[in-house]
Amino acid sequence: MKRGKVVLLTLVLVLPFIIHSSVSRAYGKVETLNQNTDDFEAIKKLETQARYMLKDLYVHDTNNEFPENVRIDFGSAEKVYVDAPIFNIDDESTEEIEKQLKQSDYIWLVNVDIDGETYGITFSKGMPLREEVTDFLTEEEIKAIKRNEGKWHVSCVDHAEVKLDDYGEIVDTALEEINYSASDSKVVICGGLQHIQNPVAIVMDDEAQLLIPMEEMEVEGTPEQIDDAKPNGADESDEVYLYSAIKDAVNDMDSENNGIAGSGAAIVLSSKKSIASSRIVVFSIVGICAILLVVCSVVQSKKRHG
């Protein structure tokens, strides 16, 4: 679903993708911005700016007066880690993945429902000015980027002409459909991963177990490969994958392309398992043939000496 957008220039420098925001209702333990979060007070102070940008987009898209009773529920904003290289670490333990995420950038996303349609607000920290883009910016734009460096600001307001599900609800529905017990699981949302630009949820117990796309994610492979890449209980239509299967596929794709990450192209499932299975079949055939040769040799020997 395409959205109309009001985007600050810094969004281009912060995120290589646009992701819709969502309100968490504690499904799947998705991390939310609340009173106990260090970022809450800094982001709450941006309410005037957020409402101004929200009003500007609403009036532009609808030609109606902005409803003054619209409320932004800052505490329900969801955390999305950005460009975290979690597929690069060999260890799939929750401890190691969380250690990597702590070193990664993240944004906060909150949805606002107006007239049954979803308006999303993205909060991000200003990034340092990149020298390679200075030639394309005005002096005022350069000053704005430097002024926002390291500070929380409203980087994007976008509009979907429908009511969107929140990420937590998407995770909850997906896990319920495969009868997966998530009572002890932790869920993190990641965007801009290798070959996966749109946000995905990573469901973790002691280790990363599942990967659930929050938006469309194309996966290519044989029916057998796709089936092997899904957890027990998942049907063909269920958009839930084994984390390890997607990680292996991404790393294989990088190897085949000299380590160059893609930009949202389809995930091509790894053929390692199929190759291994083929080798087992070949070795079995060779083994059977060897046994037959030995048996024939013994029989011939007995005939010669019988």
Side-chain angles (χ1 to χ4, degrees):
M1 172 63 68
K2 293 184 177 179
R3 298 181 174 202
K5 305 180 185 71
V6 172
V7 186
L8 290 184
L9 173 66
T10 48
L11 179 64
V12 181
L13 305 177
V14 176
L15 299 175
F17 56 93
I18 298 294
I19 44 183
H20 74 65
S21 55
S22 62
V23 177
S24 173
R25 291 195 290 272
Y27 292 101
K29 300 181 182 178
V30 174
E31 188 173 357
T32 57
L33 181 69
N34 53 54
Q35 299 288 357
N36 298 318
T37 306
D38 293 339
D39 299 331
F40 182 86
E41 290 301 326
I43 290 177
K44 184 68 170 63
K45 291 177 182 178
L46 299 171
E47 183 170 6
T48 299
Q49 181 188 5
R51 286 185 67 86
Y52 176 82
M53 295 176 66
L54 182 61
K55 177 179 179 179
D56 191 47
L57 180 59
Y58 177 83
V59 173
H60 176 272
D61 285 359
T62 66
N63 290 319
N64 296 326
E65 289 188 11
F66 182 69
E68 293 303 325
N69 63 345
V70 168
R71 176 175 170 267
I72 302 172
D73 184 7
F74 289 92
S76 65
E78 287 181 309
K79 191 175 192 176
V80 177
Y81 292 94
V82 180
D83 296 337
I86 57 175
F87 291 148
N88 290 343
I89 55 178
D90 294 330
D91 194 338
E92 295 179 5
S93 69
T94 298
E95 181 181 359
E96 287 302 314
I97 290 176
E98 288 184 328
K99 189 182 299 183
Q100 184 65 63
L101 292 177
K102 285 179 180 178
Q103 302 173 32
S104 302
D105 294 321
Y106 61 90
I107 58 179
W108 290 103
L109 308 171
V110 63
N111 270 359
V112 180
D113 180 72
I114 307 178
D115 302 330
E117 298 181 4
T118 298
Y119 288 77
I121 306 173
T122 302
F123 301 92
S124 61
K125 271 189 177 180
M127 301 297 288
L129 178 66
R130 288 166 28 201
E131 292 299 324
E132 62 267 29
V133 301
T134 54
D135 291 340
F136 304 98
L137 306 175
T138 66
E139 284 298 321
E140 287 301 316
E141 290 169 341
I142 291 174
K143 288 179 181 178
I145 293 172
K146 290 181 176 180
R147 187 169 57 248
N148 286 323
E149 183 177 342
K151 299 176 182 177
W152 285 105
H153 64 286
V154 183
S155 56
C156 176
V157 177
D158 58 286
H159 175 208
E161 296 179 356
V162 294
K163 182 171 175 53
L164 299 178
D165 291 336
D166 59 274
Y167 292 154
E169 190 170 11
I170 294 172
V171 171
D172 185 64
T173 299
L175 296 180
E176 185 178 356
E177 287 178 348
I178 65 171
N179 295 317
Y180 186 91
S181 175
S183 58
D184 298 323
S185 298
K186 180 171 182 178
V187 181
V188 292
I189 308 295
C190 298
L193 297 177
Q194 294 157 267
H195 297 281
I196 308 174
Q197 288 299 328
N198 290 331
V200 297
I202 309 297
V203 180
M204 304 182 293
D205 294 326
D206 293 333
E207 294 184 336
Q209 301 291 340
L210 305 176
L211 183 146
I212 305 173
M214 298 294 94
E215 300 180 20
E216 183 178 356
M217 186 179 84
E218 187 177 355
V219 177
E220 293 182 357
T222 66
E224 291 77 14
Q225 286 176 319
I226 293 176
D227 185 60
D228 287 342
K230 293 190 174 186
N232 292 333
D235 294 329
E236 183 180 350
S237 60
D238 292 326
E239 291 297 309
V240 183
Y241 300 91
L242 295 172
Y243 174 84
S244 58
I246 300 299
K247 176 187 172 184
D248 288 345
V250 165
N251 287 322
D252 280 358
M253 290 167 67
D254 279 350
S255 298
E256 293 171 2
N257 290 280
N258 299 318
I260 300 175
S263 58
I267 299 299
V268 180
L269 291 174
S270 172
S271 58
K272 285 180 180 178
K273 186 168 183 178
S274 298
I275 292 173
S277 299
S278 299
R279 286 176 178 169
I280 290 172
V281 172
V282 170
F283 292 152
S284 298
I285 293 173
V286 171
I288 291 170
C289 290
I291 293 171
L292 289 175
L293 287 173
V294 171
V295 171
C296 289
S297 176
V298 171
V299 171
Q300 291 295 330
S301 177
K302 286 184 176 179
K303 285 183 177 180
R304 284 196 298 270
H305 297 88

